[in-house]
Amino acid sequence: MTVERYRIAAIPGDGVGPEVLDAGRRVLDAVGGRAGFAIQWQEIVAGGAGIDAYGAAIREEDVTVCAEADAVYLGAVGGPKWDDPDASVRPEQALFVLRGGLDLYANLRPVSVEPSLVRSSPLRPELLEGVDIVIVRELTGGLYFGQRQEGSQERGARAAHDTLPYTEQQIERVVRAAFELARGRRRQLTSVDKANVLATSRLWRKIVEEVATDFPGVTFEHRLVDAAAMMLIKRPASFDVIVTENVFGDILSDEASVLAGSLGMLPSASLGTRRTAHGTFGLYEPIHGSAPHLAGQDRANPIGTILSGAMLLRWSLGREAEAAAIEGAVRRALEDGLRTSDLARDDPRSEGGELQVVGTRAFAEAVVHRLTFEPPRHPTAAPQPEAEAIR
Ligand code: IPM
Ligand code: MG
């Protein structure tokens, strides 16, 4: 049997980034060993670590390595060491160079609630029943990429400004991706904007209406972001796919992580248009940041990163069965009572010794030990080739 080889660029980054990425790599390597593929890791120093090593958040040659890989797997970047508001280089630039430079416009952030984690969320259990959302965050436009000015003066006072640009094409492609995704799920799309204030949101709404005509089977609604933020807590199970611009998606996804029990739970895939030999090129990272207060203590929750690895297998390597195997193993580890400290904190069962609090590494090991390669209990639909591989 020939062993399939994949090239994955690994960017550990800063804070807990290296620890959670180690955990994720450990799981992917184990899956490869069992399923008969090998990963050639190309490690890249970027973020604050890149600033320290090279004076840049990410070097151009490293962006090229990422662009030529089958996928990019990233921990987290940033930290107080590089937080000087007057600094000209910032760790987060590595993210923007990759997201923008590799045109990774569709950022998928799935949010579901493991039944065994209902008590880790501050919400009432009945609100969490049936929660299964994918937030599709536009990732290459808006405030993150608009022109900004810092250190200016207006009538003798300090001033600054940011701008929020969007083009028709940028909106159209991400909205289309979200409709395609919704079509393969419960066929409900919520487009979130602030059309009562923002010009870009009014354009966004028009384009959603236009794209919707290509998806007659999908029910869609517009919601203003403030109301959507409230509904996400009040009636989270009413959402299927949410599509929104960059900043709104950033904020709503942290909010949604409360449903899942911890910010550490949520994975993400950032997809563009480039096809690789095996699937769609993408960058995979947990939605959480570098959590400097936890760094180096083996306490970070690696689940968001491990589940990002599952998304990597599914989207970039076309390995659905192996992706499902990881998701199943994470579920079983949680069902068996294993928790990182963030998940145990608010769960009353941790008092009674029903839960076992473990570190980052031990949790990854627990997942590895629970990998089984039976067909998934709820098989997901096969990728639709015509659907730009967004599912
Ligand atoms: C995220 C993060 C980043 C973002 C930060 C680290 C710049 O919060 O991926 O959600 O705002 O996009
Ligand atoms: Mg964020």
Side-chain angles (χ1 to χ4, degrees):
M1 192 177 87
T2 55
V3 173
E4 183 115 46
R5 286 189 181 280
Y6 303 114
R7 275 198 310 168
I8 302 181
I11 307 181
D14 312 311
V16 298
E19 296 163 60
V20 292
L21 197 71
D22 249 20
R25 284 173 59 166
R26 169 87 188 89
V27 173
L28 285 181
D29 281 333
V31 169
R34 302 270 291 276
F37 65 81
I39 297 171
Q40 186 191 334
W41 296 101
Q42 297 176 292
E43 195 153 323
I44 286 169
V45 178
I51 294 175
D52 289 352
Y54 317 118
I58 186 162
R59 298 181 304 177
E60 228 165 88
E61 61 253 52
D62 290 330
V63 176
T64 306
V65 170
C66 291
E68 290 171 355
D70 291 311
V72 183
Y73 198 24
L74 188 144
V77 299
K81 182 175 175 195
W82 309 278
D83 261 355
D84 174 5
D86 294 321
S88 60
V89 285
R90 309 179 63 81
E92 293 79 7
Q93 286 161 352
L95 294 178
F96 310 141
V97 166
L98 291 169
R99 293 170 179 179
L102 306 180
D103 218 17
L104 302 170
Y105 64 90
N107 180 222
L108 313 190
R109 299 188 161 192
V111 185
S112 57
V113 181
E114 285 298 330
S116 59
L117 286 185
V118 161
R119 285 149 106 177
S120 300
S121 170
L123 297 199
R124 288 202 306 270
E126 62 268 28
L127 289 177
L128 298 173
E129 215 164 283
V131 169
D132 180 7
I133 307 171
V134 180
I135 297 175
V136 181
R137 169 187 176 191
E138 200 294 322
L139 207 58
T140 56
L143 278 172
Y144 282 69
F145 291 87
Q147 278 185 2
R148 57 183 112 255
Q149 195 183 24
E150 281 176 275
S152 56
Q153 293 272 330
E154 267 169 39
R155 288 186 292 278
R158 285 173 297 172
H161 71 250
D162 298 287
T163 57
L164 198 170
Y166 265 111
T167 65
E168 175 176 3
Q169 288 77 12
Q170 281 177 315
I171 299 171
E172 210 258 353
R173 62 185 185 175
V174 73
V175 166
R176 191 166 289 281
F179 266 107
E180 280 166 2
L181 189 66
R183 186 169 57 188
R185 291 172 44 95
R186 300 197 308 279
R187 295 190 295 282
Q188 278 179 55
L189 180 67
T190 304
S191 172
V192 172
D193 63 37
K194 189 69 184 174
N196 52 351
V197 180
L198 301 175
T200 42
S201 285
R202 290 190 282 270
L203 176 62
W204 185 283
R205 259 188 200 210
K206 280 186 200 152
I207 291 170
V208 170
E209 301 278 341
E210 289 161 13
V211 175
T213 61
D214 292 339
F215 297 88
V218 177
T219 314
F220 74 97
E221 58 172 359
H222 302 288
R223 260 191 204 281
L224 296 173
V225 63
D226 45 359
M230 179 186 67
M231 286 304 287
L232 207 45
I233 296 300
K234 231 179 145 175
R235 256 197 303 132
S238 68
F239 292 98
D240 178 12
V241 177
I242 295 175
V243 64
T244 192
E245 63 91 53
N246 208 339
V247 170
F248 296 162
D250 178 44
I251 298 169
L252 292 179
S253 55
D254 268 32
E255 185 192 1
S257 75
V258 172
L259 307 168
S262 165
L263 185 56
M265 291 298 296
L266 296 202
S268 85
S270 304
L271 305 174
T273 45
R274 182 165 86 79
R275 304 277 305 166
T276 65
H278 323 282
T280 302
F281 173 76
L283 180 151
Y284 302 83
E285 55 177 327
I287 80 154
H288 65 72
S290 62
H293 61 289
L294 291 179
Q297 299 170 41
D298 192 39
R299 279 176 60 205
N301 182 344
I303 297 178
T305 310
I306 292 172
L307 294 177
S308 298
M311 293 185 88
L312 186 159
L313 290 174
R314 173 170 294 129
W315 288 96
S316 288
L317 305 184
R319 291 202 170 254
E320 173 60 37
E322 291 81 0
I326 293 180
E327 289 159 351
V330 168
R331 176 167 311 134
R332 284 189 288 279
L334 293 169
E335 283 167 356
D336 289 346
L338 293 165
R339 297 287 186 277
T340 43
S341 55
D342 55 320
L343 293 170
R345 201 176 304 131
D346 297 321
D347 190 325
R349 286 172 300 179
S350 46
E351 301 295 313
E354 278 175 70
L355 301 177
Q356 189 191 346
V357 177
V358 298
T360 312
R361 268 197 300 265
F363 195 91
E365 282 315 310
V367 171
V368 167
H369 284 127
R370 287 166 178 78
L371 287 169
T372 55
F373 289 88
E374 289 145 34
R377 257 184 288 173
H378 307 288
T380 36
Q384 304 157 22
E386 77 284 5
E388 202 68 271
I390 303 288
R391 185 160 61 87

